[in-house]
Amino acid sequence: MRTDIAPGTLPAREHLPVRPGGTPVLDVVIPVYNEEKDLEPCVMRLHSHLARTFPYGFRITIADNASTDRTPQVAAGLEASVPGVRAYRLEQKGRGRALRAVWAASDAPVLAYMDVDLSTDLNALLPLVAPLISGHSDLAIGSRLARSSRVVRGAKREFVSRTYNLILRGSLAARFSDAQCGFKAIRRDVAERLLPMVEDTGWFFDTELLVLAERAGLRIHEVPVDWVDDADSTVHLVRTAVDDLKGVWRVGRALAVGALPLDRLARPFGDDPRDRGLSGVPGGLTRQLVGFCVVGVLSTLCYLLLYSLFRTGAGPQSANAAALLVSAVANTAANRRLTFGVRGRERAMRHQAQGLVVFAIGLALTSGSLAALDAAAGSPSHGTELAVLIVANLAATVLRFLLFRAWVFPDRRGDTFTAPHGPAASAAGPAYGDGTSTSTTGTRR
């Protein structure tokens, strides 16, 4: 994964100004490979639609990635004869490679792409890019799986598409509905920061782009589309599916170890300065509660598993202490990074030491519960022990959050921390490392 990204964060989104002449507002890229038959009808239809309906300046860029038929000649002819059409030739295959090259070279503030078969109804193009032009969203995607979408395709492709999106939701905690629809747009300022982080050059490019954008807290707008399957599509489903699964594993691993500097894609929270400085309102309380609960549930499961394991060779008090110690260290580390957004090694040992004090309080609660149970029941069953420990841990969890927030990771305006992640970071939980929305390194709010 690429990490050599320019430091800093994205500015607040603003409405793009109307440009009557000169640089177009929208650059629509059509990636093609051996499409000599469909290319000209596609470009002419798209150009006619944009000329009639799109209120801003536009450009259509044909991204030919290593075609071996007459596609380059057709593209050159269209560039010469149709205003606002540009041909771009790459000598290597890969849809992702073509999009990366053209988007990186474009000067248009909004970048889009669509498949050459025009399976998606063009009436969705303006709704796709409008939120990006207005400054409301960072990326936009067409969705064939939205309730109001109208889709005509075979059962095989329907099954593959829905299965793939279920895999993304289950493995990468993705919340967007359709990763593979060839109908997407992105603001250029976002693309400049996001594209260097995207490693794939083929069909998984779209998915990787969306997952990283979502984890960075960028806003993704979804547009229901009317879509008709192209019966002549040359996409190899099995090979593409295997490559996509490899990509899911690679991205999931990178997120789990925190290998991506997603904080460099952060946006300010709204355009009104009052949004970032409300007096008397604790910063990020809801997000921290969600993140703490996710970490807490996983820590409790880990604790119970360890307790059951240690209980086979030790008494209940020793097993409880050992299990609680191991899970407490992991819990403090996870909450430090995921719930309260603190990164780096500074104060890490101090935080762990404070976490051990909190652990001691939890140990006193749970050990006291076990002692009370033993005094009341004599020799309680293992199931009864677990039930009592669950109740005791719930009480210890509430106290742990209060101590973490007020003492271990306090909201100090004079201290320098990396600002906490956004809501999706909490929802994703510790299994995937980086969260969604981070802000600049500075005063925590």
Side-chain angles (χ1 to χ4, degrees):
M1 285 290 180
R2 293 281 303 279
T3 58
D4 53 335
I5 317 300
T9 57
L10 290 166
R13 289 182 295 263
E14 295 182 355
H15 195 298
L16 297 174
V18 177
R19 302 183 181 185
T23 304
V25 170
L26 174 66
D27 192 348
V28 183
V29 181
I30 304 176
V32 292
Y33 173 72
N34 289 346
E35 298 286 355
E36 61 179 4
K37 177 182 176 182
D38 295 332
L39 179 56
E40 183 172 355
C42 164
V43 171
M44 297 305 296
R45 180 182 166 193
L46 175 59
H47 188 277
S48 174
H49 176 84
L50 288 171
R52 287 185 294 104
T53 65
F54 195 67
Y56 297 88
F58 65 88
R59 177 193 300 134
I60 300 173
T61 301
I62 304 167
D64 173 25
N65 47 318
S67 292
T68 56
D69 61 359
R70 292 188 62 257
T71 297
Q73 289 76 26
V74 176
L78 289 167
E79 181 179 34
S81 61
V82 183
V85 174
R86 182 180 65 172
Y88 194 101
R89 168 75 177 181
L90 292 89
E91 298 302 327
Q92 291 179 290
K93 290 181 61 177
R95 182 178 69 170
R97 179 180 287 109
L99 291 175
R100 184 200 308 275
V102 176
W103 281 354
S106 179
D107 55 356
V110 176
L111 311 169
Y113 95 87
M114 61 180 61
D115 293 334
V116 70
D117 56 21
L118 294 184
S119 295
T120 305
D121 182 11
L122 292 178
N123 287 327
L125 182 55
L126 183 55
L128 182 80
V129 301
L132 309 188
I133 294 174
S134 70
H136 176 270
S137 301
D138 298 292
L139 298 90
I141 65 174
S143 175
R144 300 162 297 183
L145 303 181
R147 289 183 179 275
S148 56
S149 299
R150 297 181 179 181
V151 177
V152 178
R153 62 175 167 180
K156 179 180 179 181
R157 285 184 175 271
E158 180 76 9
F159 174 78
V160 170
S161 179
R162 291 188 178 274
T163 300
Y164 181 63
N165 282 283
L166 285 175
I167 291 173
L168 293 181
R169 289 175 177 269
S171 60
L172 298 179
R175 293 177 295 166
F176 47 86
S177 66
D178 191 351
Q180 295 175 310
C181 182
F183 196 69
K184 296 181 175 68
I186 185 172
R187 287 176 63 105
R188 181 164 59 90
D189 58 347
V190 176
E192 289 173 349
R193 299 288 183 87
L194 185 54
L195 289 178
M197 299 186 192
V198 180
E199 192 171 304
D200 191 79
T201 59
W203 292 97
F204 187 70
F205 174 88
D206 300 50
T207 301
E208 188 170 356
L209 185 81
L210 292 174
V211 169
L212 298 187
E214 187 175 75
R215 287 301 186 89
L218 299 179
R219 180 174 291 157
I220 301 174
H221 179 73
E222 296 199 18
V223 178
V225 298
D226 297 344
W227 193 85
V228 180
D229 190 14
D230 178 16
D232 297 326
S233 175
T234 59
V235 178
H236 193 288
L237 289 180
V238 176
R239 184 170 63 244
T240 301
V242 172
D243 291 341
D244 286 348
L245 291 176
K246 291 179 180 178
V248 169
W249 167 256
R250 174 176 53 79
V251 172
R253 182 176 56 184
L255 293 173
V257 300
L260 294 166
L262 298 180
D263 55 314
R264 296 172 185 175
L265 293 168
R267 287 281 196 194
F269 180 74
D271 299 326
D272 190 335
R274 293 173 298 177
D275 291 341
R276 300 184 286 278
L278 298 178
S279 60
V281 179
L285 177 59
T286 301
R287 179 198 58 76
Q288 290 176 359
L289 278 171
V290 174
F292 184 81
C293 288
V294 172
V295 173
V297 168
L298 294 176
S299 297
T300 300
L301 293 176
C302 176
Y303 162 78
L304 293 175
L305 179 63
L306 290 172
Y307 177 81
S308 298
L309 180 64
F310 294 153
R311 186 68 176 85
T312 58
Q317 294 288 3
S318 299
N320 174 64
L324 199 57
L325 176 61
V326 174
S327 60
V329 172
N331 180 279
T332 300
N335 276 305
R336 181 178 189 269
R337 180 182 178 88
L338 301 174
T339 303
F340 298 95
V342 181
R343 298 192 180 190
R345 297 181 179 180
E346 185 179 1
R347 298 187 181 181
M349 295 303 297
R350 175 181 174 179
H351 292 154
Q352 280 293 348
Q354 291 173 306
L356 289 177
V357 174
V358 177
F359 150 75
I361 297 174
L363 177 62
L365 281 174
T366 53
S367 296
S369 300
L370 283 175
L373 176 65
D374 187 65
S379 297
S381 66
H382 181 64
T384 303
E385 287 180 356
L386 289 180
V388 170
L389 286 173
I390 289 173
V391 175
N393 265 284
L394 288 175
T397 296
V398 174
L399 181 59
R400 187 182 302 121
F401 176 76
L402 297 176
L403 289 174
F404 272 174
R405 182 173 173 83
W407 180 50
V408 184
F409 308 109
D411 185 9
R412 294 174 179 167
R413 293 181 182 271
D415 289 347
T416 299
F417 290 93
T418 298
H421 294 10
S426 303
Y432 308 112
D434 276 282
T436 54
S437 178
T438 55
S439 54
T440 58
T441 300
T443 302
R444 282 190 58 215
R445 295 186 180 275

